[in-house]
Amino acid sequence: MDKPVIVTVDDDPGVSRAVARDLRRRYGQSYRIVRADTANQGMDSVREMRLRGDDVAAILADYRMPQMNGVEFLEQAMDLYPHARRVLLTAYADTEAAIQAINVVDLDHYMLKPWDPPEEKFYPVLDSLLDAWQRADRRESDELRVVGARWSARSYEVRDFLSRNQVPYRWLLADSPEGAQLLAAAGEELEGEDCEVSPARLPLVVTSEGVKLTAPDTSTLAAAVGLSTAPATDFYDLIVIGGGPGGLGAAVYGASEGLRTVMVEQHASGGQAGQSSRIENYLGFPDGVSGAQLADRARRQALKFGAELLTARTVTSLEVKGQARVVGFADGGSIAAHTVILATGVSYRRLTAPGLDDFVGRGVYYGAAVTEAPECRDREVYIVGAANSAGQGAVYLSGYASRVHLIVRSDGLEKSMSHYLIEQISQIPNIEVHTGTEVVGAEGDDHLERLTLKGPEGERPVDAEWLFVFIGAEPFTDWLGDTVERDRKGFVLTGPDLTAAESRPRNWPLRREPYHLETNVPGVFAAGDVRADSIKRVASAVGEGAMAVALVHRYLEKT
């Protein structure tokens, strides 16, 4: 077993080294000491440890840091390691802030610097906290194990599903000693003596209770890890379809205002935004927040107010039956409600270059694929896209990869990417932007090994094992059929000019009525990216989700 970790973060290099030195002197035999000189570097290290399945025993953060103060750092870190002991390092002048932080982040201790000698003022405090950590029930470190092949698409899908749903797990390669032992044990139990689990039945998922699942489908996996998949009743005031920012906003506001609310999500809370490695322009997070963190907080907020959240359920139909709006599922089940909010968002468009489809999940990934980032360390990666999501992915992966190649079909980033991201990218030496370039081919054996790029100088092959794609947006609305009116691209039409929308001139201004979120079906509303003419931003999607709930109230008052 790897040693548990003690993390220390301080932006003063001299102090940072001194803290790490004192920690190693006392605890180096039993704990691994990880030191960071900036808050952002510290958060990147904590996230990477979470993905690897490392156990963090204590986090020590300096209060005064320029990127984020120690309280903000500990607040973000506790989302990933809720059982870790939290210590704030302060100067005498900061003691009042430290005392307030006890209520904000459930601080375990604040410690004045300097603490010479450590034997009297430092070690006794840490001894007590680490002893309490050792005695605490931390079953999540054992949660479940996933055994699979490195370049298996289904293994990637399982890991991605667990990560996006904030389910901790340990990833084991099938040819590792522990992975081989689990496969052998599962083979004997599932198929008889001297049998093995065949590669076709990977990945193997072993829960903390010892239940073994071979190549489980998503709904089976969701139920096994404790995610809610079955509705508590068959009729609600409000059904929210989609768990992205718009859907989460609607679920929070609907449930908090007393509506019997259920949110249905096919994959994981957060939607496309939940895959973002860092969102830096969202109100209230001056130092940025990952999409996963934002989604997890919103999910917990919705649950706190009493909303039901169903995961791994695919919606296939919407019918009007009198005053009821009936939502059908792929497995044949259904639920009904007085009102429905469509918040299914959008998905990344597929690249059509020959060979790419053969490597999806085996070197080609649509979205951030944060689970793959540590595997890219010291390697070259390629990213296709020119909008904010591609820029955020490039900045994030630059912390792992030796070089990040950003492939942009247009002649620049200015038309589609926020200024702050363009500035960041220009200052990161290992990001290279290739304008006027596109991917036109892919090759490999069991995984992606080569790409063909077409640029101003013609076509050229490049060695590549990782390609991340962030292009365009396709709404998930085909399942609506003729029930709800949509535009030519599939986006849901709302407002009084539904019928006229198709014939509007190309330069027609956006509708200025902020509350026109109702579709052609009374009681059915649309919010966020799935809605035609919406502003594709996280904040606007959340706002539309909240506004749609206000319209739900108006509708219910009239019926």
Side-chain angles (χ1 to χ4, degrees):
M1 294 291 291
D2 291 335
K3 294 179 182 178
V5 181
I6 298 175
V7 179
T8 173
V9 185
D10 197 307
D11 69 308
D12 184 322
V15 174
S16 179
R17 286 193 294 270
V19 175
R21 181 198 62 222
D22 286 349
L23 288 170
R24 289 193 182 98
R25 185 188 305 161
R26 176 83 163 200
Y27 306 107
Q29 292 291 326
S30 303
Y31 296 87
R32 183 160 59 94
I33 311 303
V34 174
R35 178 174 72 89
D37 292 333
T38 69
N40 286 345
Q41 181 187 34
M43 281 310 306
D44 287 343
S45 296
V46 170
R47 291 191 194 98
E48 185 174 341
M49 286 184 276
R50 175 77 275 184
L51 287 174
R52 283 201 309 255
D54 294 339
D55 214 356
V56 173
I59 303 172
L60 292 75
D62 182 52
Y63 177 67
R64 296 198 177 194
M65 294 188 289
Q67 295 167 326
M68 67 178 85
N69 67 40
V71 175
E72 294 167 335
F73 179 88
L74 291 170
E75 185 178 14
Q76 291 193 26
M78 67 186 289
D79 286 342
L80 300 173
Y81 285 101
H83 298 292
R85 302 299 155 169
R86 297 174 284 280
V87 179
L88 191 67
L89 308 179
T90 70
Y92 182 77
D94 299 323
T95 53
E96 185 176 345
I99 293 170
Q100 292 173 350
I102 292 174
N103 296 323
V104 176
V105 294
D106 193 21
L107 194 68
D108 291 298
H109 198 86
Y110 71 91
M111 190 173 293
L112 294 177
K113 301 183 297 182
W115 46 66
D116 192 48
E119 288 77 10
E120 294 180 13
K121 300 180 179 180
F122 185 48
Y123 296 147
V125 173
L126 263 293
D127 286 346
S128 174
L129 294 178
L130 293 173
D131 181 61
W133 178 82
Q134 290 282 7
R135 287 186 285 102
D137 182 3
R138 304 185 316 277
R139 293 182 186 174
E140 74 164 17
S141 61
D142 262 342
E143 304 84 2
L144 76 165
R145 289 158 290 178
V146 179
V147 184
R150 175 67 192 89
W151 296 112
S152 158
R154 184 55 189 157
S155 292
Y156 162 71
E157 290 167 0
V158 166
R159 293 164 60 210
D160 188 58
F161 176 83
L162 295 171
S163 295
R164 290 181 61 190
N165 281 286
Q166 303 291 311
V167 179
Y169 68 93
R170 287 182 59 208
W171 164 240
L172 301 168
L173 290 173
D175 55 3
S176 69
E178 187 176 353
Q181 289 172 3
L182 284 172
L183 290 176
E188 292 173 3
E189 181 177 320
L190 296 170
E191 299 183 12
E193 198 170 326
D194 298 327
C195 290
E196 295 182 355
V197 177
S198 67
R201 299 185 66 185
L202 291 179
L204 170 72
V205 177
V206 184
T207 72
S208 57
E209 292 81 20
V211 176
K212 299 174 179 64
L213 308 171
T214 56
D217 59 38
T218 303
S219 59
T220 302
L221 179 63
V225 299
L227 297 174
S228 179
T229 60
T233 184
D234 56 5
F235 198 90
Y236 297 84
D237 294 318
L238 170 63
I239 299 172
V240 181
I241 304 175
L248 286 166
V252 167
Y253 280 92
S256 67
E257 293 175 14
L259 297 177
R260 290 172 299 164
T261 302
V262 60
M263 187 186 82
V264 184
E265 167 56 42
Q266 185 175 2
H267 300 294
S269 299
Q272 196 179 91
Q275 296 178 277
S276 178
S277 53
R278 179 158 291 271
I279 302 168
E280 296 195 60
N281 57 354
Y282 190 75
L283 185 67
F285 292 89
D287 298 299
V289 62
S290 74
Q293 285 177 309
L294 191 64
D296 184 55
R297 293 184 181 202
R299 180 189 61 80
R300 287 189 278 121
Q301 197 172 12
L303 290 171
K304 166 190 167 184
F305 289 122
E308 281 184 54
L309 306 184
L310 305 184
T311 306
R313 295 301 295 267
T314 302
V315 175
T316 56
S317 64
L318 173 63
E319 296 181 79
V320 178
K321 294 186 177 179
Q323 295 298 312
R325 308 294 177 258
V326 181
V327 170
F329 297 123
D331 61 5
S334 66
I335 52 176
H338 294 298
T339 58
V340 172
I341 294 178
L342 304 174
T344 50
V346 295
S347 58
Y348 292 112
R349 284 209 309 268
R350 292 292 183 108
L351 278 176
T352 57
L356 281 176
D357 282 349
D358 297 335
F359 302 115
V360 174
R362 299 188 295 129
V364 176
Y365 306 97
Y366 286 86
V370 174
T371 53
E372 292 299 305
E375 303 291 339
C376 300
R377 188 175 297 281
D378 300 327
R379 311 295 284 272
E380 295 195 18
V381 302
Y382 288 78
I383 295 176
V384 177
N388 279 6
S389 53
Q392 291 159 353
V395 171
Y396 179 69
L397 288 168
S398 70
Y400 296 89
S402 60
R403 180 158 294 275
V404 176
H405 299 273
L406 186 57
I407 309 300
V408 180
R409 190 170 56 179
S410 63
D411 57 1
L413 299 171
E414 290 74 17
K415 293 180 181 178
S416 53
M417 191 177 292
S418 294
H419 177 73
Y420 81 91
L421 269 174
I422 297 174
E423 289 291 304
Q424 281 187 28
I425 288 171
S426 69
Q427 295 170 16
I428 299 176
N430 64 332
I431 297 181
E432 185 176 350
V433 181
H434 304 267
T435 57
T437 304
E438 55 186 317
V439 175
V440 295
E443 297 176 337
D445 291 327
D446 64 336
H447 67 280
L448 177 68
E449 296 179 58
R450 289 171 298 281
L451 292 172
T452 302
L453 305 181
K454 183 178 181 182
E457 292 82 28
E459 293 188 4
R460 62 187 176 96
V462 295
D463 292 334
E465 289 187 313
W466 282 276
L467 174 68
F468 300 89
V469 182
F470 303 83
I471 58 167
E474 293 180 338
F476 176 57
T477 56
D478 287 347
W479 60 275
L480 288 168
D482 297 328
T483 305
V484 176
E485 288 193 38
R486 297 170 286 149
D487 66 12
R488 292 186 184 92
K489 295 181 179 179
F491 291 93
V492 175
L493 294 167
T494 58
D497 51 347
L498 282 159
T499 3
E502 294 292 333
S503 57
R504 292 185 315 193
R506 195 177 184 83
N507 60 349
W508 188 269
L510 294 179
R511 290 189 292 273
R512 291 185 171 84
E513 305 89 337
Y515 297 107
H516 285 152
L517 303 179
E518 191 168 30
T519 69
N520 63 297
V521 181
V524 177
F525 305 85
D529 291 359
V530 73
R531 191 177 67 82
D533 287 343
S534 67
I535 300 171
K536 304 298 187 281
R537 288 289 185 269
V538 175
S540 62
V542 174
E544 287 192 7
M547 286 193 296
V549 171
L551 298 184
V552 165
H553 280 295
R554 294 186 191 181
Y555 174 83
L556 292 174
E557 288 170 2
K558 293 177 183 177
T559 56

